[in-house]
Amino acid sequence: MACSAWLFGGYNPHRSALNIDHANENLYHFPVVCNQCENTYCAKVCPADAIYRDQETGAIVVDQEKCVGCKKEFCHEYCPIKVIHVDPFTRKAYKCDLCGGSPRCVESCPTGALELVVRVNTDQEEDR
Amino acid sequence: MNDGYMGKFLCVDLEAKTSLKLKVPDWLKQDYVGGKGFGAKLLSDLAPPGVDPLGPDNLLMFLTGPLCSTPAPAMRTCVVCKSPATHTFLDSYVGGRFGAEIKFAGYDGIIIRGTASDPVYLWIEDDRIEFRSAAKIWGSDALKANELIKQDLGHQEATVATIGQAGENGVLFSLICCEYNRQAGRGGAGAVMGSKKLKGIAIKGSQLVKVNRPDLFQQAVKKANRDIESAGDCSALTESGTSYAVPWSSSIGLLPYKNHSEQHDPKVNKIDDAAQDKHLFLGKSACFGCPIRCSQMGAVRTGKFASFVTDIIEYETVAMLGSNLAISNIRDIAYLNKLCDTLGMDSISAGAVIAFAFEAAEKELIQSPEKANLEFGSTKAAEHLLKSIALQEDELGKLLGQGVKKAAEQIGHDAPDFALHVKGLEIPGWGVKGSPGMGLAYATADRGACHQRGFPIGYEYGGALYKGEVVEPHSIEKKAEILIGDQNYLAGLDTLIKCDFGAFGVTAQSYIELLNAVTGLERPQSFIDELGERIWNLVRLFNLREGLDTGSDTLPAKLTGKALENGPLKGQRMKSEDLDLMLKEYYMIRNWDREGRPITKHLKQLGLNKERRFSIEKQLIAPENDEVKD
C-alpha cells in the first residue's frame, strides 16, 4: 500500500509496483518484486525507448514523458514476472523505481520483513 | 474530499437486476462513521418493519469504514442484515481480503435487495456491475464455488465471497465464506444470501483510497503498529493464533465440555496450540494489511481424513467442535471445521447444535439415525449431522438446521432447558459458571449470545484492571458497569472496523489519532464511547421494533442450574437471582426502563429522538454525471 501511495497518492495494492501472490487457500505467499534485470526485456521491447537504467539508484525506470502509452503493452507482456504495469487511467507504464533509492515498502513494512540489498556479480561488477 | 471514504454505496436489486449508486451523505459519516454504525442506521431506515429475514425486502449489506483498505493495522469488514435465527439485528465482522476490495472498487458498502429469479453471482469491477448466471455453480460447496466463479470470469485475481449448500438450503446458522477461510454472518447471513439466490460476489477494483492528512496518518499507523508489537496478547496471536487460549481456558475452568455440562477438558493437551503446531501448522497468513498474521496455515497429513489444507482451528471451533463434543483428535476437529467452512456453516452454532443433539439422544428425546450413533465423542456422528443439516437431506437435518432454540421447541419435554442459546443464537465456547460477567454479556449482547460484544472474562480471569483495580471474578459487583463500558467502546470501534485482535494492542488514543488523520476531523477520545452508546441504543430500538421480547435478556436453564461438579471452578454456579440483579443494574445504567426499553429522555440526549432518515431516493447519484439527484 505504501507503494501505491508513493506512486499515485492513495492506497490500492492493485496499483502498486510489486505483487504478492497467494496460493492454495493462502498456504503459500510469493512476494514478487522487480529484479531490475541486467538484460532488460522491458526496455528492449519499448517502442519509444522510454525505459532506462537510473545510474544513481541502479533501478530500471520509465520516463513518463517519453512513454507514449502504446496499446501493445509490450513491456508488461514480455516482463517475465509481470512487474511492469500499465496504469488503467493514463495507459502509461509504471514500475518499481526503488523510490529514488529509498523504497517506501521497506520503510513501511510493520514487521521488518523487507530490506534493500545490493547484488554483487561474480565478475565484481556492482549492480542493484 | 480525501477523508478515507469512497463517497458511494453500491445498491443492487437482484430482482430487477439493476444497480444504483448512492451518495454517502456527510451527516451519515459524521454521526455513524462506518461498519456497525452504517449498518444500524441503514437497516433501521431501509428495511420495512417486521421484514421477513428470508424475504426479498431484507437487506444484505457489506460495509466498510474510513480506516478499511488503508495501512491502519487489523481492520475488517462488516456484514449486516436482519437475522433469520434471532429476527433481530445481525452484525458480523470478517477479515481476509474481500472487504478491502469493496473500497478499491470505489464503494463504502454494498447494499443488496430483492431476490433473483434464478441463481446468480455478482461481478463488480469498479463501475461495471454484472449479474451472471450461477446455474452451474449452485449446489457446489463454498470453496468450489470460489474456484468456479474465478474460472467463469477468467479472473483469478478477483476476490470472492460465496455461500455453501447450507446457505442455499436456508440453514439458520449458515455463513458467507470470504476468501479464504474467513466466515461472516453468525445468525444466518448465509441463509439470507441463499434466499436471494445469490451464490457469490466477485470483486476487483482500481480506485485509490485517500486520506486527509497523509503525514499524520503515517505517524498514527506507526504508533498503532508499535502498540501491537508491544502487546503480549498480540504476540501470542502471531505465535499460535487463538489456539493459545485453549489450554488457558481449560486451566481456569471456562472451556465448555459436553454441552457445557463441565467447564474443563481432561484431554485438552490433545487439542491445544502445541497439538495444532505439531499436527497441523506449516506457515502463517495475514488478513489484508494486518501485522499480527494470526492465521496459522497448515495441512492434515495423516489419519482417516488426510490430506487437506486447513487454517488454524480457532479457539471457538476447538471449544465447540472439540471439547464441547468431547472430541479430542485435533485432525478430526480440523475435518469437522473444514466441513463447516465448505458447507458454509458457523462452527460455533454447528458445534452447539450437535452437542444439543447428543444430549437429547442421551436423554432419549431424539433417535439416532441409522448411520451414526449420536453420542459425545463421536466424530462420525458429528460428521453425519453436519452433512445432513447442510444438505437438509433428512428429518433430523431439517430439525437441527433451525438451530437449538427452534429444534428444542419442536422436541418439547425439557429440551429447551439444555438448548443453549440467547435469543436464538447459540452460546459460544466460554462457560458462565464462575464468570457472572460473561453470563450477563451473553444475556445482553445485541445479536444474541456473543462473546465479542463484551468479554468480562478479560477482567475476571485475564488480569485486566478496571479503573486501576482488580476485578473479583465470582462477584456480581460492578459487572454491569464494566460490561456496558466494553459494549459501548467495542461498538464504537466496530464502526472503524477494528479486529478484536488488533484492539488487544491498539489503544483508544491511537484509534482516534488514526481516525482523525484519515478524516481530517478533530474528535476527542471520548467520541468512540459516545458513538458506541448511540449505536447500541439504536440497535436496541431496531430489535424492539422487530418484536424483541425483553424477557429474552436471559440465559438458558442449564447454565443457571446446578453447580459445577468438577474442574478448577468446582462448586461454582450462575444463580438466576444474580443474573436478575445484574440485569436490573444493567438496565438502570443504560437508562432503560425495567423492561429494557430505552427511556425517551435518554434517547434525546443521544440524539436518537428525531433523526434524519437515510433514503435511497434522496441519495441517488444520476448515472450520467455522478451528481446527487437533490
Side-chain angles (χ1 to χ4, degrees):
Chain A
M1 281 186 280
C3 184
S4 67
W6 162 257
L7 290 167
F8 302 108
Y11 301 113
N12 186 336
H14 300 304
R15 305 277 299 277
S16 74
L18 59 101
N19 300 332
I20 302 175
D21 296 337
H22 309 278
N24 211 352
E25 293 178 46
N26 286 338
L27 188 58
Y28 319 119
H29 315 281
F30 305 99
V32 185
V33 297
C34 177
N35 291 333
Q36 315 294 349
C37 300
E38 278 182 64
N39 185 4
T40 49
Y41 285 21
C42 58
K44 284 182 176 171
V45 297
C46 175
D49 281 334
I51 302 172
Y52 66 99
R53 187 180 302 276
D54 181 309
Q55 291 308 319
E56 215 165 286
T57 63
I60 307 297
V61 296
V62 181
D63 184 332
Q64 291 294 320
E65 297 290 312
K66 273 191 171 179
C67 174
V68 294
C70 70
K71 287 185 181 148
K72 291 174 179 156
E73 300 182 4
F74 279 156
C75 54
H76 176 74
E77 188 181 340
Y78 289 102
C79 171
I81 52 175
K82 303 284 179 256
V83 286
I84 182 159
H85 309 269
V86 176
D87 184 273
F89 300 97
T90 65
R91 308 308 309 171
K92 293 198 177 195
Y94 67 93
K95 65 174 294 299
C96 173
D97 60 0
L98 296 174
C99 302
S102 171
R104 297 302 190 277
C105 54
V106 174
E107 204 175 279
S108 65
C109 177
T111 63
L114 296 173
E115 60 179 319
L116 179 64
V117 294
V118 178
R119 182 178 64 213
V120 180
N121 293 333
T122 46
D123 59 3
Q124 300 302 304
E125 250 187 88
E126 201 175 82
D127 204 346
R128 288 189 190 232
Chain B
M1 184 189 165
N2 296 343
D3 59 0
Y5 294 95
M6 309 311 286
K8 286 186 300 219
F9 290 127
L10 174 66
C11 185
V12 171
D13 184 334
L14 290 170
E15 194 171 332
K17 290 197 166 67
T18 54
S19 66
L20 305 168
K21 278 140 200 158
L22 309 177
K23 185 176 193 286
V24 181
D26 288 341
W27 62 265
L28 190 73
K29 295 189 220 170
Q30 279 158 22
D31 293 349
Y32 293 95
V33 181
K36 184 168 189 152
F38 280 179
K41 185 62 182 155
L42 295 176
L43 196 67
S44 297
D45 289 356
L46 298 179
V51 63
D52 174 4
L54 299 178
D57 292 337
N58 195 8
L59 305 160
L60 177 63
M61 298 185 277
F62 294 82
L63 301 162
T64 70
L67 293 170
C68 300
S69 317
T70 76
M75 293 293 156
R76 303 206 283 182
T77 308
C78 177
V79 172
V80 169
C81 60
K82 181 176 168 185
S83 160
T86 65
H87 283 251
T88 57
F89 188 71
L90 180 162
D91 59 329
S92 176
Y93 302 87
V94 62
R97 293 165 198 283
F98 180 76
E101 287 294 333
I102 295 173
K103 280 175 79 171
F104 298 144
Y107 308 103
D108 293 306
I110 304 171
I111 303 167
I112 297 165
R113 303 188 296 169
T115 294
S117 50
D118 296 298
V120 292
Y121 75 89
L122 282 175
W123 169 223
I124 301 167
E125 196 181 19
D126 293 327
D127 277 341
R128 210 161 56 88
I129 318 298
E130 279 183 40
F131 298 80
R132 298 175 66 103
S133 170
K136 289 180 183 159
I137 303 167
W138 197 257
S140 59
D141 74 45
L143 274 178
K144 186 73 189 167
N146 179 305
E147 188 189 319
L148 291 174
I149 285 174
K150 285 178 179 172
Q151 261 175 29
D152 188 52
L153 285 171
H155 279 283
Q156 286 305 315
E157 71 283 10
T159 308
V160 179
T162 54
I163 55 169
Q165 297 92 328
E168 294 177 9
N169 293 331
V171 173
L172 296 188
F173 45 93
S174 53
L175 300 180
I176 301 165
C177 177
C178 299
E179 177 168 334
Y180 282 104
N181 302 312
R182 292 292 176 270
Q183 317 297 336
R186 278 206 79 203
V192 173
M193 192 155 150
S195 75
K196 297 187 176 302
K197 293 210 168 63
L198 180 62
K199 183 67 180 174
I201 304 169
I203 189 163
K204 190 187 167 199
S206 60
Q207 308 301 309
L208 296 164
V209 180
K210 296 187 175 179
V211 307
N212 192 270
R213 288 180 278 185
D215 292 342
L216 263 184
F217 184 64
Q218 273 184 26
Q219 285 174 30
V221 169
K222 278 188 180 158
K223 182 165 172 249
N225 280 332
R226 279 199 303 272
D227 290 347
I228 287 174
E229 214 178 314
S230 56
D233 283 339
C234 295
S235 311
L237 286 163
T238 302
E239 193 54 40
S240 49
T242 55
S243 67
Y244 84 97
V246 174
W248 178 67
S249 173
S250 191
S251 71
I252 56 175
L254 293 176
L255 183 66
Y257 186 67
K258 294 191 177 177
N259 202 27
H260 284 254
S261 295
E262 293 295 341
Q263 292 182 179
H264 84 120
D265 185 342
K267 294 184 181 169
V268 68
N269 63 341
K270 292 186 179 298
I271 58 175
D272 62 8
D273 46 346
Q276 292 201 40
D277 186 31
K278 184 175 173 193
H279 297 294
L280 308 177
F281 298 168
L282 293 171
K284 296 182 195 307
S285 177
C287 292
F288 181 86
C290 182
I292 300 178
R293 58 201 185 280
C294 67
S295 214
Q296 317 291 322
M297 291 303 302
V300 169
R301 290 92 77 175
T302 56
K304 190 177 162 192
F305 304 112
S307 79
F308 60 92
V309 173
T310 179
D311 202 328
I312 181 178
I313 314 303
E314 296 280 359
Y315 171 83
E316 286 294 333
T317 304
V318 173
M320 300 309 289
L321 291 174
S323 62
N324 201 37
L325 301 181
I327 292 175
S328 55
N329 181 326
I330 195 64
R331 301 179 193 89
D332 286 13
I333 301 169
Y335 173 70
L336 296 174
N337 180 52
K338 189 81 176 186
L339 272 183
C340 282
D341 284 0
T342 50
L343 295 167
M345 287 189 289
D346 169 20
S347 58
I348 299 178
S349 285
V353 164
I354 296 168
F356 165 77
F358 285 177
E359 186 165 347
E362 215 171 54
K363 292 184 167 154
E364 297 180 351
L365 296 177
I366 59 170
Q367 276 193 330
S368 289
E370 264 178 41
K371 289 177 188 163
N373 200 25
L374 302 184
E375 58 183 351
F376 285 104
S378 171
T379 302
K380 191 179 172 191
E383 176 191 15
H384 177 85
L385 288 181
L386 287 177
K387 288 179 181 168
S388 63
I389 289 168
L391 304 175
Q392 292 283 286
E393 54 186 18
D394 57 25
E395 287 309 310
L396 190 57
K398 285 176 187 160
L399 176 76
L400 297 174
Q402 305 170 80
V404 296
K405 179 176 182 241
K406 288 177 185 158
E409 284 165 3
Q410 285 175 37
I411 292 168
H413 304 280
D414 68 339
D417 291 351
F418 61 89
L420 303 185
H421 70 92
V422 176
K423 303 180 178 77
L425 191 68
E426 286 74 15
I427 303 260
W430 298 90
V432 301
K433 293 177 182 178
S435 173
M438 202 63 223
L440 184 67
Y442 287 151
T444 59
D446 51 4
R447 68 163 171 174
C450 177
H451 59 293
Q452 293 177 301
R453 302 293 173 265
F455 190 68
I457 291 169
Y459 300 94
E460 293 172 327
Y461 294 93
L465 301 177
Y466 181 66
K467 294 183 176 168
E469 286 181 23
V470 172
V471 174
E472 162 58 39
H474 306 153
S475 158
I476 62 169
E477 208 180 322
K478 285 198 182 153
K479 294 295 164 70
E481 182 186 325
I482 294 172
L483 175 65
I484 289 169
D486 274 12
Q487 286 176 340
N488 290 346
Y489 177 64
L490 295 173
L493 292 185
D494 281 337
T495 67
L496 294 182
I497 301 161
K498 78 16 175 165
C499 171
D500 292 17
F501 304 158
F504 287 165
V506 182
T507 64
Q509 183 59 31
S510 298
Y511 277 122
I512 211 75
E513 284 168 15
L514 287 165
L515 182 63
N516 286 344
V518 83
T519 59
L521 299 174
E522 284 298 338
R523 282 149 164 163
Q525 199 180 305
S526 59
F527 175 77
I528 299 173
D529 299 299
E530 289 159 13
L531 173 68
E533 188 183 8
R534 183 159 73 248
I535 291 165
W536 195 268
N537 277 273
L538 180 59
V539 170
R540 184 71 172 185
L541 291 176
F542 175 83
N543 287 347
L544 289 166
R545 185 189 91 179
E546 298 302 311
L548 174 82
D549 167 13
T550 58
S552 63
D553 292 339
T554 189
L555 293 172
K558 184 172 179 182
L559 297 190
T560 52
K562 61 180 187 176
L564 292 169
E565 288 170 4
N566 290 297
L569 292 176
K570 185 178 172 183
Q572 285 295 325
R573 53 181 297 214
M574 170 89 225
K575 291 185 202 157
S576 50
E577 309 89 87
D578 283 351
L579 182 61
D580 291 345
L581 279 171
M582 286 191 294
L583 193 63
K584 212 170 155 187
E585 197 184 348
Y586 178 93
Y587 286 167
M588 202 182 70
I589 300 172
R590 278 245 173 254
N591 282 303
W592 293 357
D593 67 16
R594 282 181 194 179
E595 290 184 334
R597 294 170 187 278
I599 59 172
T600 315
K601 192 178 154 197
H602 189 55
L603 292 178
K604 232 178 199 174
Q605 285 163 349
L606 294 170
L608 287 173
N609 55 326
K610 43 179 181 182
E611 271 232 294
R612 233 183 306 213
R613 288 179 71 80
F614 183 91
S615 127
I616 288 180
E617 291 69 32
K618 271 190 187 170
Q619 303 305 333
L620 198 59
I621 299 172
E624 294 304 313
N625 52 12
D626 275 15
E627 288 296 319
V628 179
K629 221 176 187 180
D630 66 11

